[in-house]
Amino acid sequence: MQDFIQRVEDCNPGEREFLQAVSEVAESVKPVLDRNPEYRKEKIMERIVEPERAVMFRVPWVDDAGEVQINRGYRIQMNSSIGPYKGGFRFHPSVNLSILKFLAFEQVFKNALTTLPMGGGKGGSDFDPKGRSDREIMRFCQSFMSEIFRHIGPDTDVPAGDIGVGAREIGYLFGMYKKLHNEFTGVLTGKGLKWGGSLIRPEATGYGAVYFAAEMLAARGETLEGKVCLVSGSGNVAQFTTEKLIELGATVVTLSDSNGYIYDEAGIDREKLHYVMELKNIRRGRIKEYTEKYPEAVYIPLETSTPVNPLWDHKAQCAFPSATQNEINGKDAENLVKNGVYVISEGANMPTTPDGVDLFVDHKLLYGPGKAANAGGVSVSGLEMTQNSMRLSWTREEVDNRLRTIMKSIHHACTDAAETYGKPGNYVMGANIAGFEKVAEAMLAQGVV
Ligand code: NDP
């Protein structure tokens, strides 16, 4: 395994996040490879870490001042052995090949866990939507789609949103795809309700992360009612995580953005959450403004130079990291444990560094890794694809019930796989093994392609 990791490192120099994601999966599936020698013989691991295709392209556009701007666009088509590539677009200045390859790699196993027929992919750009006008966002999205349209399609690759890509961006991207292809198809998910979108899609990732936490607690005969919860981020995932937690009787005391976080000891209730949604989704303001409206809360700016994130240093029972990768490091994980947190359900992708993950697993916490806990979003995207193919729309209740059932079955698949391999309660191993086995079997059946 050490040789394998070394080879991946040599072939992908400097791709820190990608290597981190590969190392975790490789470590988890070692016993599966020992039990199934044909996986080694057919070089499943060596093949699974190599994207089937990676596209990188120029995205030129003109800003409101008439200046030409150039960004870089990407699409990583990682694995299509169980269905068309599926995974979001991320627009954020930090986007690079390593981050998108880690996200695409995680997506392969996550999508396999959902039980729906979806392969894995991810894409995006280093474009920063912050501070840009609607017109600039539209021109950027149109330029991005004018290249990527030839690589995607409803039976080939179906992108969705992620950081920096919400309903507005999906609208502009879809409009351009439709114009270029002269075809109205379900090529993107996260569409508006009136033009092919699914009810519950915006809510799905956050709701799913809460359902997953509820399942982990139920296995111990507990519920979320009365639990104090730390939530990071204040975007799509954080907002709907908070909404569902409030509904289930939990108290959410934090929300954040990349500049800082708010701590509201009294709890963020429905009215306060409504204010946050309006602040972030319509006015596109900063979370700091929360304390102007609710002065009983405090705002703490985040210093990038400090080794810990103080958001994770409050008394609580549950944590829902919902911002970005590696937002909980080993020291933050220690702080969470010290403060009594014993449920962690990851809305974000890979938000915990490997030393933090080890600490959670060693302490036998109820730790739901992102590829299981945040799979609700892509699951409802899969349901959106089904509704588009059938040309009908399911009700809110129907989609929510299906989401709940999928999250239950993901929880079951994780616990089952962990028990089979002698690690009961280890959701990291469980999720990696359950996702990997499904993809590996499909790859074996389809030959060396
Ligand atoms: P949004 O763009 O809606 O929100 C992202 C939030 O995280 C914002 O509050 C943002 O703050 C904050 N954030 C982003 N980057 C950083 C950073 N480097 N440091 C600190 N804070 C940061 O994205 P989503 O809510 O959709 O995504 C959040 C996470 O959930 C991501 O990891 C994503 O991959 C994952 N995810 C999302 C799914 C979905 O359906 N949307 C599905 C599965 C996983 P600011 O405004 O300052 O940038």
Side-chain angles (χ1 to χ4, degrees):
M1 197 49 83
Q2 216 45 49
D3 288 351
F4 166 75
I5 297 289
Q6 190 57 54
R7 272 201 308 278
V8 177
E9 198 168 350
D10 293 345
C11 291
N12 303 278
E15 296 185 6
R16 197 167 50 85
E17 294 84 0
F18 179 55
L19 201 69
Q20 183 181 333
V22 169
S23 302
E24 186 200 282
V25 170
E27 189 58 42
S28 289
V29 303
K30 228 161 37 184
V32 185
L33 301 178
D34 292 341
R35 227 182 247 193
N36 298 277
E38 68 277 20
Y39 290 172
R40 283 212 170 90
K41 181 165 167 284
E42 296 301 320
K43 298 230 167 30
I44 296 293
M45 282 305 286
E46 288 80 351
R47 283 198 270 153
I48 221 165
V49 296
E50 207 56 59
E52 289 176 12
R53 187 177 300 105
V55 190
M56 194 161 102
F57 51 99
R58 178 171 72 203
V59 190
W61 56 284
V62 180
D63 69 16
D64 285 347
E67 284 283 319
V68 175
Q69 302 281 343
I70 295 105
N71 287 98
R72 187 172 284 178
Y74 306 83
R75 186 72 183 165
I76 314 297
Q77 298 182 330
M78 200 76 196
N79 195 300
S80 62
S81 49
I82 60 171
Y85 309 107
K86 179 93 197 83
F89 283 140
R90 176 178 289 193
F91 293 168
H92 192 271
S94 65
V95 161
N96 59 33
L97 203 54
S98 171
I99 288 180
L100 293 180
K101 277 171 69 181
F102 115 65
L103 289 164
F105 184 72
E106 292 274 295
Q107 196 82 46
V108 172
F109 307 103
K110 181 191 309 190
N111 293 4
L113 282 173
T114 66
T115 69
L116 302 174
M118 298 181 290
K122 200 83 188 188
S125 172
D126 58 359
F127 170 69
D128 187 359
K130 265 198 216 93
R132 292 292 179 190
S133 70
D134 279 358
R135 290 288 182 207
E136 289 179 315
I137 302 275
M138 182 179 76
R139 286 195 292 274
F140 173 80
C141 288
Q142 290 177 339
S143 177
F144 185 88
M145 184 52 82
S146 72
E147 171 56 36
I148 201 66
F149 83 99
R150 65 189 96 244
H151 305 287
I152 63 176
D155 295 315
T156 311
D157 184 349
V158 186
D162 190 75
I163 293 178
V165 179
R168 172 182 59 169
E169 292 74 18
I170 293 290
Y172 294 145
L173 290 164
F174 184 78
M176 195 61 181
Y177 180 89
K178 184 166 62 66
K179 184 181 171 76
L180 292 168
H181 258 283
N182 192 27
E183 223 176 56
F184 194 110
T185 56
V187 66
L188 292 161
T189 57
K191 299 186 289 298
L193 275 182
K194 296 191 173 67
W195 40 280
S198 174
L199 285 158
I200 299 286
R201 177 58 190 92
E203 294 89 339
T205 308
Y207 280 18
V210 177
Y211 292 153
F212 196 85
E215 285 299 316
M216 293 196 291
L217 279 165
R220 283 196 187 174
E222 292 183 49
T223 70
L224 280 160
E225 195 171 354
K227 301 274 190 299
V228 175
C229 304
L230 307 174
V231 177
S232 64
S234 51
N236 171 270
V237 179
Q239 291 171 16
F240 289 106
T241 295
T242 304
E243 184 172 278
K244 186 52 78 178
L245 285 170
I246 296 170
E247 192 186 313
L248 297 183
T251 304
V252 176
V253 292
T254 59
L255 283 173
S256 70
D257 59 27
S258 48
N259 298 114
Y261 77 98
I262 54 110
Y263 177 72
D264 187 342
E265 197 176 0
I268 297 161
D269 59 18
R270 279 176 215 276
E271 184 221 300
K272 292 171 177 174
L273 177 62
H274 185 263
Y275 168 80
V276 171
M277 287 179 168
E278 194 265 337
L279 169 71
K280 295 308 269 187
N281 308 345
I282 297 167
R283 285 197 284 127
R284 302 194 185 270
R286 309 304 296 158
I287 200 68
K288 184 176 196 281
E289 292 170 48
Y290 182 96
T291 50
E292 289 162 21
K293 174 93 174 150
Y294 303 107
E296 66 276 22
V298 285
Y299 174 75
I300 297 104
L302 285 177
E303 308 292 342
T304 42
S305 53
T306 52
V308 289
N309 181 343
L311 188 155
W312 306 121
D313 199 2
H314 292 278
K315 290 259 172 278
Q317 288 83 49
C318 310
F320 291 84
S322 310
T324 194
Q325 64 274 356
N326 293 332
E327 55 171 312
I328 299 178
N329 63 27
K331 187 77 190 85
D332 296 320
E334 279 174 26
N335 284 338
L336 285 166
V337 173
K338 179 193 81 189
N339 281 298
V341 170
Y342 66 100
V343 182
I344 299 109
S345 188
E346 294 184 338
N349 284 305
M350 206 170 75
T352 310
T353 57
D355 48 347
V357 173
D358 289 346
L359 192 101
F360 294 155
V361 172
D362 291 347
H363 280 74
K364 299 199 176 338
L365 305 191
L366 296 177
Y367 168 56
K371 61 171 78 70
N374 72 34
V378 74
S379 301
V380 175
S381 276
L383 301 179
E384 182 173 331
M385 289 163 72
T386 307
Q387 293 169 80
N388 290 165
S389 302
M390 295 165 79
R391 303 227 186 286
L392 52 77
S393 304
W394 292 327
T395 62
R396 199 179 157 83
E397 288 66 37
E398 186 157 6
V399 181
D400 198 23
N401 285 339
R402 285 176 194 267
L403 169 63
R404 240 181 259 222
T405 307
I406 291 172
M407 295 314 295
K408 245 184 210 301
S409 84
I410 293 175
H411 180 265
H412 182 73
C414 293
T415 49
D416 218 31
E419 269 164 32
T420 305
Y421 284 90
K423 299 279 181 190
N426 185 332
Y427 289 92
V428 177
M429 271 193 86
N432 285 332
I433 290 175
F436 175 78
E437 283 186 329
K438 190 167 173 195
V439 179
E441 281 303 311
M443 289 174 74
L444 269 189
Q446 292 169 22
V448 182
V449 287

